[in-house]
Every structure is written in structure tokens, then in C-alpha cells.
Amino acid sequence: MVGLLIVGAGGHGKVVADLVQASGHWSHLSFLDDTYPKPDQVGPWQVVGRTGDSCFFLERHPAAIIAIGNNQLRMEMQKRLEEEGFRFPTLVHPHASVSSFCDIGAGSVVCTQAAVVIGAQIGVGSIINTGASVGHDCRLADGVHVAPGARLAGGVSVGEGSWIGIGATIREGVAIGRRVVVGAGSTILQDVPDGVTIVGSPGRIIHGEALERTLIPSMRTNL
Ligand SMILES: CC(C)(COP(=O)(O)OP(=O)(O)OC[C@H]1O[C@@H](n2cnc3c(N)ncnc32)[C@H](O)[C@@H]1OP(=O)(O)O)[C@@H](O)C(=O)NCCC(=O)NCCS
């Protein structure tokens, strides 16, 4: 058993720490956060430094996980720490249900009550949050966040860095582009282009490059 460094001591950091504790696979865990030295404690765990100090903790914590909600920041930080020599485990809460016939990348986290079903592939540095479900044969790229209670039906694909909001539902086979934000509670029935924010049921694009470029009325409704 070795020590684990959690980068980010906010709400998601706490969720990850709780998961780590429940898994029992790590001898100790510590946080890095840019608010250091205040607070120097999160629950029973110590905040030991700032994110830029990571290399000083490599020997005592050879493994790390980035617990930052922002997808782009999380990916950049994971890349930097990998270059420093940290290894990135895949963390699965003991109360999550994950098929043995799926792939989940390094640094990804599957939270309590989440389900990842046969044939699903999830990239590196992703978050499958509390109670979310990823259906059979879904393909999620790197740095994706599926927020609590969101549901992806079978064969959905999600591009790099996209965020599926809390309680959203994605119909089977739909392709969500890169850096897309799907609003809380939205229902997405058709493919979504890169870089847009889409909300509502059925989804409509409210901002993003694709809207500015195309302004196709059918893209604003019934997505
Ligand atoms: C999609 C989201 C990012 C948009 O935020 P925003 O860019 O600040 O957008 P605004 O709040 O200014 O809303 C713009 C319009 O979209 C509507 N809208 C925003 N989010 C919506 C949603 N989830 N469903 C339906 N309509 C929504 C607003 O009512 C508003 O409509 P109007 O112009 O007719 O008044 C945000 O509302 C959201 O849903 N975030 C997800 C939160 C989440 O999943 N948290 C989990 C954390 S783990």
C-alpha cells in the first residue's frame, strides 16, 4: 500500500478522499490546494502544500489524483504530474457498479452508486459522479465529467473535455462533441457539435462557436 496525493481540496476533493478511504487500498492520503496553508486540514486529512509543490511529495505519495472539477485544468494538471513521475490510478468506489468488460483510463474516478456497463470505454482523467450511469458501449474521451445522476444510454459518445450536467439524459447512440456543456436536467436527443452549451428538454444550444458559425434554426431546437 502506498500514499495517494489528492490535488484539489474543494467539494470534489472531499468526495474523492471519501472514496479512497472506503476503498482501503491506500496507506495514507494528503491534499494539495492553492489555498494552503489555510485550511491545513480537510476532515481528518491534511493539506500539505500548494499544487505547485507536488514534486516534493512524490516520494511519500507515488500516486496522485486530480480532484478539480474544471475539465481542462484537471487534464493539464494530470499531464504535469505525470511528467513529474506520479502514477495515476483509476479509482472506483466500492459501491459503484463497474462491468469487468469495460476500460477506464488512468486518473479517472467512478463515484458511489454510479454504474458503468459492459463495453463502455472511458478515457483518462474523467469523472463519473455519484449515481451517474454510463450505458453499454459508450465511448467517453479524456477529461469528461458526467455529473451526479446523469444518464447516458447505450452507444453514446462524448468528446474530450465535455461536461454532462447533473441529472441530464442522453438518448442512445447520440454523439456529444468536444468541450460541450450539457445543462442540468437536459434531455439530448440528437448529436451535439463541439464547443457549445446546450440546455433544456429537448436540448437547445444557448451559446458556443457552433451557434455563431452556423445559426441553423434546427440546431437551436429539437437537439
Ligand atoms: C448550462 C449552464 C452551465 C448554463 O449556465 P450559464 O451559461 O450561466 O447560463 P444562464 O444561467 O445565464 O442561462 C442562460 C439561459 O439558459 C437557461 N438555462 C440555463 N441552464 C439551464 C438548464 N440546465 N436547463 C434549462 N434551461 C437552462 C436559463 O434559464 C436562461 O434562459 P433565458 O435566456 O431564457 O433566461 C448551467 O445552467 C447548468 O445547468 N450547469 C450544470 C450544473 C451542474 O450540473 N452541476 C453539477 C456539479 S457536480
Side-chain angles (χ1 to χ4, degrees):
M1 291 212 294
V2 296
L4 180 79
L5 196 61
I6 299 179
V7 179
H12 183 54
K14 281 192 223 173
V15 169
V16 171
D18 189 46
L19 183 168
V20 168
Q21 181 91 350
S23 76
H25 293 148
W26 305 90
S27 60
H28 56 277
L29 70 88
S30 308
F31 282 99
L32 293 184
D33 196 281
D34 285 339
T35 59
Y36 180 81
K38 277 191 171 188
D40 62 357
Q41 195 87 17
V42 175
W45 304 288
Q46 259 196 305
V47 184
V48 293
R50 291 167 178 263
T51 58
D53 302 332
S54 49
C55 58
F56 301 118
F57 299 95
L58 177 61
E59 197 172 330
R60 189 154 187 268
H61 309 77
I65 203 87
I66 312 298
I68 295 175
N70 180 292
N71 292 341
Q72 195 178 339
L73 274 182
R74 189 171 65 257
M75 292 308 295
E76 284 168 7
M77 192 77 75
Q78 177 161 338
K79 191 161 176 280
R80 180 168 72 71
L81 266 69
E82 276 170 347
E83 284 164 7
E84 288 177 358
F86 286 93
R87 77 179 171 82
F88 278 79
T90 300
L91 299 181
V92 176
H93 194 284
H95 295 154
S97 167
V98 174
S99 163
S100 358
F101 301 99
C102 63
D103 291 325
I104 305 178
S108 289
V109 173
V110 183
C111 297
T112 186
Q113 306 300 329
V116 181
V117 177
I118 185 167
Q121 291 185 4
I122 296 172
V124 306
S126 290
I127 303 169
I128 311 302
N129 220 319
T130 307
S133 64
V134 177
H136 69 84
D137 305 309
C138 284
R139 301 275 181 277
L140 276 55
D142 298 342
V144 165
H145 179 182
V146 183
R151 293 172 295 171
L152 277 50
V156 164
S157 66
V158 182
E160 190 176 316
S162 288
W163 180 30
I164 312 298
I166 188 164
T169 302
I170 318 293
R171 184 161 87 177
E172 69 275 10
V174 161
I176 306 282
R178 303 167 66 231
R179 301 182 323 280
V180 166
V181 176
V182 175
S186 301
T187 308
I188 307 302
L189 304 176
Q190 292 185 19
D191 294 354
V192 180
D194 292 346
V196 303
T197 298
I198 183 165
V199 300
S201 300
R204 65 186 170 100
I205 292 172
I206 54 168
H207 19 253
E209 307 148 12
L211 179 62
E212 283 147 25
R213 263 203 319 269
T214 63
L215 289 175
I216 298 170
S218 63
M219 291 180 66
R220 306 186 64 163
T221 55
N222 301 323
L223 278 168

